[in-house]
Amino acid sequence: MTEHRVRVTQDSGSRWRRRAGEYQTLAEALAAAEPGDTVTLRPGVFRENVLIDKAVTVVPAEGPGTVRLDPSSGVALTVTAAATVRDLVIEGFDSSAAAVLITGPEAAATLVGCRVDTHSAVGIEVTERAAARLTGCTVNNPAGLGLRLRGAATAQIEECEVAAAGQAGLAVLEGAEARLNRCRLHHAAGAGVLLTDAGSLAELTGCELYEIRGSGVQAEAKAVGRLTDCAVHRVTGNGLTLDTEAELHLVECRLHELPENAADLRGHSTLTLERCTVRAFGRGALSVWDPGTRAEATGCVIEDSTGDYPAIWVSDGAQLTLADCTLHDLPDALFVLDRDSRATVTDTSFSRIRSSAISVSSGATVALERCRVREAGTGLWFRDHGSGGLLTECEIAEVATGVIVTKGADPVLRDCVVRGSAEAAVYVSAQGRGSFEDCRAVQGKGFGFHVIDGCRTVLTRCRAEQNGRAGFEFSEPGPVVEACTSDDVPSAKAPAETVPAPRTAQLTAGPALVAPPQIAPIPDCRPPDEALAELDALIGLATVKQEVRTLIDLISVGRRRQQAGLKAPSLRRHLVFTGSPGTGKTTVARLYGEILASLGVLQRGHLVEVARVDLVGEHIGSTAIRTQAAFEQARGGVLFIDEAYTLSPEDGARDFGREAIDTLVKLMEDHRDAVVVIVAGYTAEMERFLSSNPGVSSRFSRTITFPDYTDSELLEIARTQCAEHEYQLAEATAGALLDHFATLHRGPSFGNGRTARQVFETMVERHAMRVAQLPDPSTEDLQLLVPADLPLPRG
């Protein structure tokens, strides 16, 4: 057929060799062609398995897209020589073969403007030491790999696109090398780029990888990848996954919109980032695991986490180096865990960190030099035995607590400053140690250096200036102090000759500064009678008020007995609140904390309200960290856990909620006087919660049941809302409202006080719709709620 006819012409050479001919099949034309010839194809579909084994050029006579190769099975196009193929459409439906195969050491194929539209095992395969150059080509292979290089093959790929792949978009294996420039790989599965085996190398410049069902780049088994000015985004897995001694080097790349980790490293792999941006990641920016695994970032920005995990996680003996980087708007910035894990950080800033900027635990160490932490919950937290490191010339500002050292941790800080902390600038407890040399605590609202539990902290030439409570606070013998100064008056009551006087008095080492401090009321705290009056003013809750008053009386009298030198009863102040939603549990918890603070039982009396989502993580170890962080945030006040029963689901044998309960029980024992814990929820469910751990029920002194509000109490709540917002209830409206509350179904979802407030809000909306129709409403019209403003009855 003429649509299948091809023509062969010689492009160059002596005149006596010039010839031309037409052939019925492409195979005949290729057999007749000699090296240097051009094979020109008329428009049509060639259902042949084409083999090009000569250095010829194959082109369509009438331009791109007019000629298709579509055999019934097997490889559509095989190239074993230095041939050039231009502007063909290559198809195929063989799940066991490649659509295009470039193979053999003599192959040096060039494909220009070709479109591979196939359902094959591989779109284009280069193998057996072959070389290929692809320019302006498109591969669409939803059934298999897009491009595959193996067997020490090489490929130069420019301005190409893998538009769909059922497996990896590009696979470089068995010592092959690929160099991509301005390419796009998207809508692939498994990985955008897969690198494996020693000697395998992929270099990508100006490329984009996106819409990948898997990792953007997956490198393993000693393979190497280099990416410059590339973007990896909108993948379902990790942006980068490295394992088994693989290496990736990224320069000026952008990784974003990643639901998992931007980069996950394991198995002695190495990742180097230079001037890269990592943002909008769901789990972590960098997760670095295993001994010998290393990550290094220079001049990078890590920002805007969309999840609730540490941005950088270094564990199991891995190593991290950060230099001149910026991390901001994150839940936690850097967590370093496990013995032999280490992070070295220089000239790096951390800002707007919701919880801990840097956390070091389980024997890990850090080395920080000239780093800055600003606007964080905790600047640095050294959590336990063996955890430590060296901090030099670092600045921590505008944080809740600057540095926390606990449970045997032993860092060294030199020439560091903590400025403007909301609580302690430096807090050491629970056998923590730490050495602080030439450090300053400046303009904090709490203590400058607060050391409790007799910790053997060493303070040398440290200075405290303009701190709200005291410069240095030591509750027990232990701290070793040399040549430290303070212009603050400490709360510790030591002998006069050794107590630091105002205005740069010298602090003396030894046990002189260790008398137990008197816990002062929180700043601007109301007298207890005023807070009790507010409790009494709450609508209903008669039994609740009586229970709380009884408990407060016991605590108050117990403290007076202590002051009189008598033995006080041992009371557990932790409580269980049971009852339906909207019955005032949170309000009572807030007042309870404030009253205890006004009595001097708690330092601050503030309320920290959390639920399961705030305590329970999604991977091993994260739950304990979250629970400890919430407990620390509530230190000096009340930790209120709403719907606490969700921490012990009935079918939760492997649920991390039990880890939260175990951690909470231990913290309540270790810091029994620092935090009051109140757990709340439905009555039956809370009984299950209390039986979930042998130590749980013993930690709580009593259970207070909050009854549902009566109809008349709901009416009184509505009246209170009216008075607060300057509305009035007509007498008839009050009666109608009482009848309305009587008709409400009181099932498990009944909101009690919340329901009364919602009814009031609905009445305000209906009142506004009615009054808006009046031409000139009076002041009474603007205030008076009438029966017509009640919510419509439900059908």
Side-chain angles (χ1 to χ4, degrees):
M1 297 177 65
T2 57
E3 67 270 22
H4 291 169
R5 189 165 296 171
V6 300
R7 182 177 179 82
V8 178
T9 59
Q10 183 180 353
D11 288 342
S12 62
S14 302
R15 179 171 296 183
W16 61 270
R17 291 185 59 196
R18 184 174 299 282
R19 68 192 183 286
E22 292 192 359
Y23 300 89
Q24 189 69 19
T25 67
L26 183 51
E28 293 173 355
L30 291 170
E34 294 185 5
D37 287 353
T38 297
V39 180
T40 306
L41 288 71
R42 291 183 177 178
V45 179
F46 291 83
R47 302 194 183 278
E48 305 178 42
N49 300 100
V50 178
L51 169 64
I52 303 177
D53 57 0
K54 302 172 184 177
V56 298
T57 299
V58 179
V59 297
E62 298 185 13
T66 59
V67 174
R68 293 163 50 203
L69 304 184
D70 186 14
S72 60
S73 63
V75 179
L77 173 62
T78 302
V79 182
T80 62
T84 298
V85 179
R86 294 181 178 273
D87 299 329
L88 298 189
V89 177
I90 303 164
E91 301 179 354
F93 292 88
D94 193 328
S95 61
S96 63
V100 177
L101 176 62
I102 302 169
T103 183
E106 303 301 320
T110 298
L111 272 63
V112 180
C114 293
R115 189 173 84 238
V116 180
D117 193 355
T118 182
H119 284 72
S120 301
V122 187
I124 299 176
E125 179 160 33
V126 189
T127 185
E128 299 300 332
R129 309 186 72 83
R133 185 180 187 91
L134 312 179
T135 303
C137 297
T138 300
V139 176
N140 188 330
N141 183 23
L145 293 163
L147 306 171
R148 179 166 68 188
L149 280 69
R150 59 190 179 119
T154 61
Q156 184 75 35
I157 307 170
E158 297 185 359
E159 297 183 342
C160 293
E161 178 178 11
V162 176
Q167 299 176 39
L170 167 67
V172 183
L173 323 170
E174 301 172 6
E177 296 184 6
R179 289 171 174 82
L180 284 72
N181 190 22
R182 300 187 303 280
C183 295
R184 294 192 301 155
L185 295 88
H186 56 93
H187 292 88
V193 174
L194 172 64
L195 308 173
T196 186
D197 303 324
S200 297
L201 169 67
E203 295 185 349
L204 284 71
T205 303
C207 297
E208 185 178 11
L209 287 71
Y210 62 98
E211 297 293 349
I212 307 296
R213 296 193 304 277
S215 297
V217 178
Q218 181 174 334
E220 55 193 34
K222 300 184 179 181
V224 177
R226 302 190 183 102
L227 283 72
T228 302
D229 189 27
C230 294
V232 179
H233 60 106
R234 302 205 308 273
V235 306
T236 63
N238 301 315
L240 312 171
T241 299
L242 293 80
D243 204 348
T244 52
E245 301 183 59
E247 297 181 21
L248 286 181
H249 188 162
L250 278 69
V251 179
E252 296 181 349
C253 292
R254 301 161 301 284
L255 291 81
H256 58 95
E257 297 174 80
L258 308 166
E260 293 294 325
N261 298 296
D264 185 278
L265 296 72
R266 301 169 189 263
H268 293 77
S269 58
T270 301
L271 173 66
T272 304
L273 304 175
E274 296 183 33
R275 302 182 301 282
C276 295
T277 300
V278 181
R279 63 178 177 83
F281 45 90
R283 186 172 291 272
L286 302 175
S287 291
V288 192
W289 310 75
D290 302 335
T293 303
R294 296 183 293 112
E296 180 176 342
T298 303
C300 296
V301 176
I302 298 174
E303 60 185 349
D304 295 331
S305 170
T306 60
D308 195 22
Y309 303 90
I312 301 179
W313 182 279
V314 183
S315 65
D316 300 307
Q319 308 289 305
L320 169 76
T321 301
L322 300 179
D324 195 26
C325 293
T326 300
L327 295 85
H328 63 86
D329 294 290
L330 305 167
D332 294 283
L334 170 60
F335 272 38
V336 189
L337 306 89
D338 305 322
R339 185 175 301 279
D340 298 326
S341 296
R342 181 175 176 81
T344 302
V345 188
T346 58
D347 298 305
T348 292
S349 66
F350 304 80
S351 61
R352 298 191 294 278
I353 311 299
R354 295 193 291 275
S355 186
S356 297
I358 300 169
S359 174
V360 187
S361 62
S362 303
T365 59
V366 296
L368 276 66
E369 186 172 2
R370 298 184 303 278
C371 293
R372 301 163 302 283
V373 178
R374 186 175 299 274
E375 297 180 61
T378 300
L380 294 98
W381 192 343
F382 297 89
R383 293 179 177 269
D384 46 29
H385 182 73
S387 304
L390 174 63
L391 279 69
T392 307
E393 298 181 32
C394 295
E395 180 178 352
I396 305 166
E398 300 174 43
V399 297
T401 305
V403 180
I404 300 176
V405 183
T406 58
K407 298 183 180 177
D410 194 11
V412 176
L413 282 76
R414 294 176 181 154
D415 296 304
C416 296
V417 59
V418 181
R419 191 184 311 275
S421 58
E423 299 176 8
V426 173
Y427 178 78
V428 186
S429 69
Q431 290 75 54
R433 295 177 67 88
S435 296
F436 298 82
E437 302 173 13
D438 299 295
C439 294
R440 292 189 300 144
V442 182
Q443 298 172 340
K445 295 181 180 179
F447 295 115
F449 296 85
H450 190 186
V451 183
I452 68 172
D453 299 332
C455 295
R456 297 292 294 174
T457 303
V458 178
L459 303 168
T460 306
R461 298 181 303 280
C462 293
R463 180 176 178 83
E465 304 172 12
Q466 304 176 39
N467 291 287
R469 300 194 67 180
F472 294 81
E473 172 73 4
F474 309 139
S475 60
E476 300 174 37
V480 178
V481 183
E482 179 181 350
C484 295
T485 58
S486 171
D487 65 357
D488 301 304
V489 178
S491 65
K493 295 184 178 181
E497 63 272 14
T498 58
V499 173
R503 309 300 168 203
T504 67
Q506 294 294 314
L507 288 178
T508 305
L513 289 173
V514 296
Q518 298 297 316
I519 299 177
I522 59 174
D524 303 323
C525 184
R526 294 185 294 176
D529 290 345
E530 291 186 18
L532 284 167
E534 183 178 338
L535 176 67
D536 289 336
L538 296 176
I539 295 169
L541 306 178
T543 57
V544 173
K545 296 171 187 176
Q546 183 58 48
E547 288 276 7
V548 173
R549 270 195 169 276
T550 299
L551 188 55
I552 290 171
D553 288 344
L554 285 169
I555 293 171
S556 178
V557 172
R559 289 186 64 80
R560 291 185 180 181
R561 284 177 59 86
Q562 281 182 318
Q563 293 169 359
L566 300 174
K567 189 172 182 179
S570 177
L571 294 174
R572 296 192 180 275
R573 301 163 297 178
H574 311 301
L575 301 174
V576 179
F577 286 179
T578 65
S580 303
T583 49
K585 294 187 287 293
T586 305
T587 300
V588 173
R590 176 181 59 80
L591 290 171
Y592 180 58
E594 186 176 352
I595 293 166
L596 292 184
S598 67
L599 294 172
V601 176
L602 291 175
Q603 285 183 317
R604 296 178 58 198
H606 63 296
L607 179 75
V608 174
E609 182 175 0
V610 297
R612 175 187 168 89
V613 68
D614 303 301
L615 303 178
V616 178
E618 296 184 12
H619 52 83
I620 295 173
S622 63
T623 295
I625 292 172
R626 288 193 191 187
T627 305
Q628 288 172 353
F631 195 91
E632 192 63 32
Q633 187 181 1
R635 183 178 289 275
V638 175
L639 179 63
F640 182 82
I641 306 175
D642 197 17
E643 296 182 340
Y645 55 85
T646 59
L647 297 175
S648 58
E650 292 181 285
D651 57 349
R654 301 181 63 183
D655 186 81
F656 288 146
R658 296 187 182 276
E659 183 183 353
I661 295 172
D662 295 341
T663 303
L664 188 65
V665 167
K666 187 176 188 306
L667 289 169
M668 291 169 68
E669 180 61 30
D670 292 346
H671 308 282
R672 61 173 64 92
D673 296 326
V675 176
V676 167
V677 177
I678 299 177
V679 292
Y682 292 109
T683 302
E685 286 81 352
M686 289 305 296
E687 290 177 359
R688 186 185 72 239
F689 168 77
L690 292 174
S691 62
S692 63
N693 182 299
V696 170
S697 58
S698 64
R699 295 296 187 276
F700 293 93
S701 63
R702 63 181 63 206
T703 297
I704 299 178
T705 300
F706 286 67
D708 288 342
Y709 288 110
T710 65
D711 298 338
S712 59
E713 288 170 344
L714 292 175
L715 175 60
E716 197 59 34
I717 292 172
R719 286 187 186 276
T720 302
Q721 292 287 302
C722 287
E724 182 179 340
H725 295 86
E726 297 185 347
Y727 284 88
Q728 295 178 358
L729 282 181
E731 196 61 37
T733 309
L737 190 54
L738 187 63
D739 293 339
H740 173 78
F741 287 135
T743 65
L744 295 178
H745 175 65
R746 298 193 174 224
S749 61
F750 181 64
N752 282 284
R754 194 175 302 125
T755 296
R757 289 187 289 273
Q758 290 170 348
V759 168
F760 168 73
E761 290 167 0
T762 301
M763 294 176 69
V764 168
E765 292 173 3
R766 290 176 59 81
H767 166 269
M769 295 171 59
R770 175 174 57 80
V771 174
Q773 307 304 316
L774 301 178
D776 185 20
S778 64
T779 302
E780 183 180 9
D781 291 331
L782 294 171
Q783 289 185 292
L784 193 64
L785 298 176
V786 301
D789 297 327
L790 263 68
L792 294 174
R794 295 183 178 180

